[in-house]
């Protein structure tokens, strides 16, 4: 097997058994990146020198017998994570030359385990998008078929795993940005419960919804990555101080007697036929493995997209006010202060970001605040209550991740509403604040991957990982590789 195709656990075994060094593995990954990047474009910045230095340090650590599961493993992370001394753009022109003075906690935790950073991955600008087309650094392409989008906003994070440009990656998910690209690129992606992973040093889009999570080749790797980044951080007051389970040790518990809910609002008649076939087959597989299915209802699902686009844009309009040309990144030439602010923001932000700042500012403005923002918060509570009620009867829920497989580049870029609807099955989970995972469950007629979503109770990551692992062991979807 090629080194660059290995999982974390396979590469860890090879490193520990001294069959390969981290410098060799990192070199293989960097060569792989050079050879496929012209077609895929997953990276905004590649950091070869730092990567090789970190790999050499990891090799010394391994030689001393200090070999954590992630020691010496070459990873890459979305360009939304601050990385000390390494350019961090968040996919925006406004941060084109921004070099952060400190790193995100989640990356610090991986680095502390001895992981190697290969570089920073492409994404929609400020994580606003479902296709990677809003990035100021070009559109990442889907490794399964480069005419198609990889999904978004963590499109580079999913494409890099699918194209074997990194062993695993980190992304962020505000309304589906880990799960939808994982589904479109055929990898495993997990959005943890709000508060499970620190958001410190993650460039904020919508602070009440954003969460950090892994994208990996299989469920065991996902458990490893989550275990490494989860936990309380005193630098993020929304991170929760509950114990982090050993996600890896309970993976093999199986699904016998597990109660899986099928929310009827997610199996609508408009669902793509290929997606429906994959869901039916997955349900069959779980039945065979001994799980029980229960019909449940999430009655306010219809309002989720509208609610999300009020809350997320309101928070974004406030979060993005800090990019004023004074403190960060791009500053325009101008006569006076006001003109400098206006020109810096006009030149620095792309159209989607401007659209959302305007929507959010409008929803928060006096006279409209109660009608839009406050109303959306009330509906959010109803959506949360839907989940609490449904979870009284079931352990997990099974749904599609997205209504279709990946679409073609350019297909929805001029129709924001259509683009927003790509996330109808992922957004409610963020509004409810709970956890969910996407895992490979089939292919469309056009040969593009289709993902299955397992939604867990708050802090129920262990259960969805177990259920995901059982499915993965019983199917072979995760073993297929893009032929890029
Ligand atoms: N596609 C959704 C949006 O554009 C979700 C993005 C995300 O999760 N960051 O807002």
């Amino acid at each position: 097997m090629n080194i660059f195709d290995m999982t974390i656990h396979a590469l860890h075994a090879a490193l520990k058994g001294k069959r390969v060094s981290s410098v060799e593995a990192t070199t293989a990954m960097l060569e792989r990146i050079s050879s496929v990047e012209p077609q895929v474009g997953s990276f905004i910045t590649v950091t070869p020198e730092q990567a090789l230095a970190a790999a050499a340090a990891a090799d010394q650590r391994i030689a001393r017998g200090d070999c954590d599961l992630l020691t010496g493993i070459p990873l890459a992370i979305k360009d939304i994570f601050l990385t000390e001394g390494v350019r961090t753009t968040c996919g925006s022109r406004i941060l084109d030359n921004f070099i952060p003075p400190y790193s995100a906690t989640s990356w610090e935790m991986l680095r502390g385990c001895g992981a190697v950073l290969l570089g920073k991955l492409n994404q929609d600008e400020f994580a606003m998008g479902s296709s990677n087309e809003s990035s100021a650094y070009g559109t990442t392409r889907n490794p399964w078929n480069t005419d198609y989008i990889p999904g978004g906003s963590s499109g580079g994070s999913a494409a890099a795993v699918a194209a074997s440009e990194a062993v695993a990656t980190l992304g962020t998910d505000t309304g589906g940005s880990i799960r939808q690209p994982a589904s479109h690129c055929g990898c495993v992606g997990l959005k943890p419960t709000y508060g499970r992973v620190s958001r410190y040093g993650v460039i904020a889009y919508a602070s009440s919804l954003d969460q950090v999570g892994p994208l990996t080749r299989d469920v065991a790797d996902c458990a490893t990555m989550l275990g490494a980044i989860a936990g309380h951080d005193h630098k993020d007051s929304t991170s929760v101080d509950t114990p982090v389970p050993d996600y890896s040790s309970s993976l093999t518990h199986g699904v016998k007697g597990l109660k899986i809910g099928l929310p009827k609002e997610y199996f609508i008649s408009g669902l793509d036929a290929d997606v429906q076939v994959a869901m039916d087959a997955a349900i069959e597989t779980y039945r065979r493995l001994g799980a029980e299915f229960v019909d449940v209802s999430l009655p306010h699902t219809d309002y989720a997209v509208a609610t999300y686009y009020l809350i997320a844009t309101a928070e974004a309009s406030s979060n993005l006010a800090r990019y004023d040309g004074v403190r960060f990144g791009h500053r325009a030439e101008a006569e006076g202060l006001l003109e400098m602010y206006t020109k810096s923001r006009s030149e620095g932000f792309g159209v989607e970001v401007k659209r959302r700042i305007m929507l959010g500012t409008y929803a928060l403005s006096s006279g409209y605040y109660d009608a839009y923002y406050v109303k959306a918060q009330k509906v959010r509570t109803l959506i949360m209550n839907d989940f609490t009620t449904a979870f009284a009867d079931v352990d997990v829920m099974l749904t599609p991740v997205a209504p279709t497989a990946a679409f073609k580049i350019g297909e929805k870029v001029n129709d924001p509403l259509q683009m927003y609807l790509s996330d109808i099955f992922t957004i409610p989970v963020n509004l409810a604040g709970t956890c969910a995972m996407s895992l490979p469950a089939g292919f469309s007629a056009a040969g593009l991957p289709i993902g299955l979503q397992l939604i867990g109770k708050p802090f129920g990551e262990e259960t969805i990982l177990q259920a995901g692992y059982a499915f993965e062991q019983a199917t072979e979807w995760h073993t297929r590789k893009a032929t890029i």
Side-chain angles (χ1 to χ4, degrees):
M1 183 188 244
N2 291 316
I3 294 179
F4 51 73
D5 285 329
M6 284 183 168
T7 55
I8 294 175
H9 47 92
L11 184 53
H12 167 71
L15 289 165
K16 206 170 174 182
K18 310 268 171 25
R19 294 192 295 283
V20 67
S21 71
S22 177
V23 168
E24 282 162 351
T26 302
T27 306
M29 296 306 309
L30 290 167
E31 281 168 4
R32 174 71 180 170
I33 291 169
S34 302
S35 83
V36 299
E37 264 308 88
Q39 297 155 74
V40 184
S42 304
F43 283 82
I44 293 177
T45 305
V46 183
T47 52
E49 294 85 25
Q50 290 105 315
L52 288 167
D59 281 334
Q60 286 180 3
R61 195 166 152 172
I62 295 167
R64 288 196 306 269
D66 174 14
C67 188
D68 182 272
L69 268 168
L70 286 162
T71 311
I73 307 285
L75 306 177
I77 61 176
K78 187 177 181 177
D79 211 18
I80 200 166
F81 294 95
L82 299 188
T83 39
E84 184 182 348
V86 176
R87 177 168 86 130
T88 299
T89 69
C90 212
S92 183
R93 237 170 77 72
I94 210 157
L95 289 176
D96 194 37
N97 288 315
F98 176 55
I99 310 230
Y102 64 93
S103 294
T105 297
S106 42
W107 168 242
E108 278 298 320
M109 290 174 92
L110 294 173
R111 205 166 69 94
C113 297
V116 170
L117 181 68
L118 294 163
K120 308 292 296 290
L121 297 160
N122 202 3
Q123 58 166 96
D124 282 292
E125 185 176 4
F126 284 104
M128 298 174 186
S130 306
S131 67
N132 246 257
E133 291 166 291
S134 79
S135 170
Y137 302 89
T139 303
T140 300
R141 291 168 179 272
N142 192 314
W144 293 86
N145 183 332
T146 52
D147 292 336
Y148 288 78
I149 56 110
S153 65
S154 313
S157 303
V161 171
S164 299
E165 296 179 273
V167 183
T169 61
L170 280 188
T172 59
D173 190 313
T174 305
S177 276
I178 289 173
R179 292 160 286 157
Q180 185 255 22
S183 172
H184 288 349
C185 291
C187 36
V188 176
L190 190 145
K191 182 207 97 72
T193 308
Y194 187 79
R196 181 71 289 183
V197 179
S198 169
R199 291 181 298 108
Y200 181 74
V202 180
I203 294 175
Y205 160 19
S207 308
S208 76
L209 300 158
D210 299 341
Q211 254 303 283
V212 172
L215 292 101
T216 58
R217 293 201 212 300
D218 67 13
V219 175
D221 281 4
C222 189
T224 300
M225 289 283 281
L226 181 64
I229 59 174
H232 180 244
D233 177 11
H234 71 273
K235 294 181 190 145
D236 172 6
S237 60
T238 64
S239 78
V240 176
D241 199 1
T242 55
V244 180
D246 181 350
Y247 298 114
S248 301
S249 69
S250 57
L251 280 179
T252 53
H253 286 188
V255 292
K256 224 179 191 70
L258 189 80
K259 283 198 181 150
I260 305 182
L262 296 175
K264 69 169 194 277
E265 293 79 4
Y266 285 53
F267 291 89
I268 44 179
S269 53
L271 198 63
D272 188 85
D274 292 334
V275 176
Q276 184 68 57
V277 167
M279 293 307 113
D280 290 344
I283 292 168
E284 220 16 72
T285 302
Y286 273 118
R287 274 218 175 92
R288 205 160 35 74
L289 295 172
E292 286 171 39
F293 281 90
V294 181
D295 289 326
V296 293
S297 173
L298 298 168
H300 296 92
T301 300
D302 264 0
Y303 307 105
V305 173
T307 304
Y308 171 84
Y309 277 97
L310 285 165
I311 294 174
T313 59
E315 293 183 16
S317 75
S318 159
N319 275 326
L320 271 58
R322 74 191 70 178
Y323 306 105
D324 54 8
V326 177
R327 288 162 298 178
F328 307 95
H330 178 70
R331 177 182 302 177
E333 294 291 327
E335 292 295 316
L337 184 64
L338 206 59
E339 190 188 324
M340 193 277 287
Y341 285 155
T342 313
K343 269 180 88 179
S344 300
R345 287 170 69 84
S346 304
E347 292 171 7
F349 290 136
V351 285
E352 185 59 31
V353 172
K354 285 177 185 159
R355 179 183 293 128
R356 295 195 187 194
I357 291 174
M358 285 191 282
L359 277 171
T361 307
Y362 184 80
L364 288 176
S365 59
S366 92
Y368 297 101
Y369 182 85
D370 287 327
Y372 292 110
Y373 183 71
V374 172
K375 188 68 155 275
Q377 292 290 13
K378 289 180 177 165
V379 180
R380 181 176 187 175
T381 302
L382 297 175
I383 291 171
M384 264 179 207
N385 293 346
D386 283 356
F387 278 84
T388 310
T389 308
F391 274 128
D393 298 327
V394 297
D395 303 305
V396 301
M397 288 188 247
L398 182 156
T399 78
V401 177
T404 63
F407 43 90
K408 281 211 161 115
I409 291 173
E411 198 175 312
K412 298 191 181 172
V413 78
N414 295 318
D415 189 345
L417 262 187
Q418 272 309 311
M419 189 76 89
Y420 295 174
L421 288 173
S422 323
D423 302 318
I424 44 176
F425 301 141
T426 48
I427 276 175
V429 172
N430 301 75
L431 290 169
T434 192
C435 59
M437 175 166 70
S438 169
L439 66 156
F443 286 84
S444 69
L448 292 157
I450 292 172
L452 151 76
Q453 177 170 242
L454 293 173
I455 306 174
K457 294 179 181 177
F459 299 96
E461 285 83 358
E462 209 173 3
T463 312
I464 53 174
L465 284 162
Q466 279 163 22
Y469 187 79
F471 181 79
E472 192 182 77
Q473 296 305 299
T475 55
E476 49 77 47
W477 305 117
H478 67 291
T479 62
R480 300 219 196 156
K481 294 216 49 85
T483 51
I484 191 119

